[in-house]
Amino acid sequence: MRQINVVVGGIPNPIGGVTTFIKRLVQTEKSISHLVDLYPSEGKVVPAEYSGVYVYSQRKIISLIRLALLCIRGNGRFFFNFSTPKSLLLLLLLPKRKSKWFVMLHHGDLNAGKYGAVARWVLSRKVDVALAMNARQVSWYEQFVEMKKIKVASSYMPPAPGAGLIAPEELKATIHNIRSKFGNLFVCSGYPTPIYRHLLAIDLMRLRKSDFLFCCLYGEGEEMNEIRQLASMMDNVMVFERLSEDEFNFILRSSDLYLRLNLEDSLGVAVGDAVNFGVKCLATNVCKRYKGAALVQADMAVDMLDASVDKVLRQDDSVLYELDGVLEFSYKELL
């Protein structure tokens, strides 16, 4: 029986670290035979470059049944991509035959909580290789499995050539209009939660009235209403919600500086994308960043952040940059 290579996770929409990673993976890796999408959502677009089987249904249970059937078939590699340890519950229920299972949890700081027993059983009994994205994840996995089952791997894949060059005319006109009225264009992105520190980015714009901030949000969070309200009262902040990847990349490529002010992070896909687009990037040093990103402390006050932004924009010699940085993901290491 022919060996199958199965990737489990999802593609946009929704947009997030997992779905962006998988979309780029199937665009470039031709050996993937099956993509199992477990995130029901409107607006799914299968990349034209992907020629394998796309397993998806608006009813998640159907996708899970089809995944279980693939697992029963066995004779292949299964690459599971989730955000948190809670999702390991699925692996507890799935049958495993003659196949090799890889797991990557894309959230930077892992906490099993009440799922600790499940994580221990699944990782020790079913998972063959746990892919850890940083030293904290390595330490977390070591609670449950021996080091020989842990492999350090990146969760970053660069955008496709030409990404961010096409956008709706309305968005192009908006950016052109703002560019004609303001100096530097900044971008921040992520969920509207305290971890992403969008409120700090908005505070920064009170000090930089000649510059403009695009705050690009996806998902729900407790700060959503506050961010919307503050932005509505400021002339130099605009909030975008639920942008497509192409729209966000166009905004990012059109900007002068990407701000990643997270208190916690696993990588920050947009950090690597900004660097690859030739856009300056200022990110907190809470994790290893893509080579070329400027680094700041996560707990700095707004006035210190303002000074750091100035230094990055004028490329001051005192700016600390990520020199080694994360490597790009290689699927061939799983083969």
Side-chain angles (χ1 to χ4, degrees):
M1 185 182 295
R2 184 174 65 89
Q3 181 170 281
I4 57 176
N5 292 314
V6 182
V7 172
V8 181
I11 56 174
N13 290 323
I15 296 175
V18 174
T19 56
T20 298
F21 170 77
I22 292 178
K23 175 186 176 182
R24 295 178 181 182
L25 176 60
V26 300
Q27 282 179 313
T28 58
E29 183 51 56
K30 304 305 181 185
S31 67
I32 296 171
S33 60
H34 294 75
L35 168 59
V36 182
D37 192 328
L38 300 179
Y39 298 90
S41 176
E42 300 294 334
K44 297 278 189 180
V45 178
V46 180
E49 299 88 345
Y50 176 62
S51 59
V53 178
Y54 179 52
V55 178
Y56 172 75
S57 173
Q58 285 285 359
R59 298 175 62 188
K60 188 173 183 177
I61 185 63
I62 294 178
S63 298
L64 290 173
I65 292 172
R66 295 180 66 185
L67 172 59
L69 292 174
L70 286 172
C71 291
I72 291 172
R73 172 181 170 179
N75 190 36
R77 294 176 177 85
F78 288 74
F79 180 21
F80 296 93
N81 292 264
F82 304 123
S83 294
T84 65
K86 179 181 178 181
S87 299
L88 295 175
L89 278 169
L90 172 62
L91 274 62
L92 180 67
L93 302 174
L94 289 174
K96 184 179 181 184
R97 298 292 185 264
K98 295 181 180 179
S99 57
K100 192 170 184 178
W101 285 13
F102 301 80
V103 167
M104 177 177 280
L105 299 177
H106 289 249
H107 196 284
D109 290 301
L110 302 178
N111 182 4
K114 62 182 179 181
Y115 301 102
V118 172
R120 181 179 302 278
W121 197 92
V122 168
L123 291 171
S124 62
R125 302 282 188 91
K126 283 192 165 182
V127 173
D128 297 285
V129 180
L131 299 172
M133 297 186 295
N134 53 45
R136 292 193 306 277
Q137 283 202 351
V138 170
S139 298
W140 185 83
Y141 280 118
E142 282 184 309
Q143 301 175 81
F144 309 112
V145 297
E146 298 178 4
M147 188 62 200
K148 64 182 181 180
K149 291 186 68 172
I150 305 170
K151 182 180 180 65
V152 177
S154 169
S155 63
Y156 180 72
M157 297 194 71
L165 295 176
I166 300 175
E169 291 302 319
E170 183 180 355
L171 179 58
K172 291 181 180 179
T174 297
I175 293 179
H176 178 77
N177 181 50
I178 290 172
R179 175 66 79 181
S180 68
K181 297 178 181 178
F182 292 89
N184 296 295
L185 303 187
F186 302 158
V187 174
C188 64
S189 64
Y191 286 95
T193 62
I195 287 176
Y196 286 84
R197 304 195 80 191
H198 297 306
L199 297 180
L200 176 62
I202 293 174
D203 282 344
L204 173 68
M205 304 316 294
R206 302 181 199 277
L207 303 179
R208 307 185 69 92
K209 296 188 181 299
S210 63
D211 296 326
F212 196 93
L213 172 69
F214 293 109
C215 185
C216 304
L217 305 177
Y218 50 85
E220 298 297 326
E222 59 267 42
E223 291 185 348
M224 178 68 86
N225 290 335
E226 186 175 3
I227 292 171
R228 288 171 177 161
Q229 183 177 10
L230 289 173
S232 68
M233 296 186 295
M234 299 177 66
D235 295 329
N236 62 339
V237 177
M238 179 180 292
V239 174
F240 285 105
E241 298 177 35
R242 298 178 178 84
L243 291 168
S244 70
E245 184 182 6
D246 289 338
E247 290 170 332
F248 174 73
N249 282 338
F250 183 83
I251 293 172
L252 182 60
R253 190 186 278 272
S254 302
S255 69
D256 300 291
L257 178 68
Y258 176 65
L259 297 169
R260 187 77 173 191
L261 306 178
N262 290 40
L263 294 171
E264 299 174 6
D265 217 347
S266 57
L267 164 68
V269 172
V271 172
D273 288 355
V275 174
N276 278 307
F277 289 154
V279 174
K280 296 181 177 66
C281 176
L282 181 64
T284 50
N285 60 357
V286 296
C287 64
K288 188 175 282 292
R289 298 297 190 180
Y290 197 79
K291 183 178 180 180
L295 304 176
V296 292
Q297 297 289 332
D299 58 353
M300 67 167 41
V302 66
D303 56 338
M304 294 296 293
L305 175 61
D306 183 40
S308 296
V309 167
D310 275 335
K311 291 178 181 179
V312 172
L313 289 174
R314 67 172 185 262
Q315 297 180 299
D316 191 280
D317 291 340
S318 64
V319 175
L320 176 64
Y321 290 95
E322 183 70 79
L323 298 179
D324 297 325
V326 297
L327 300 175
E328 295 174 2
F329 178 81
S330 173
Y331 185 76
K332 289 180 174 56
E333 293 183 12
L334 277 59
L335 301 179

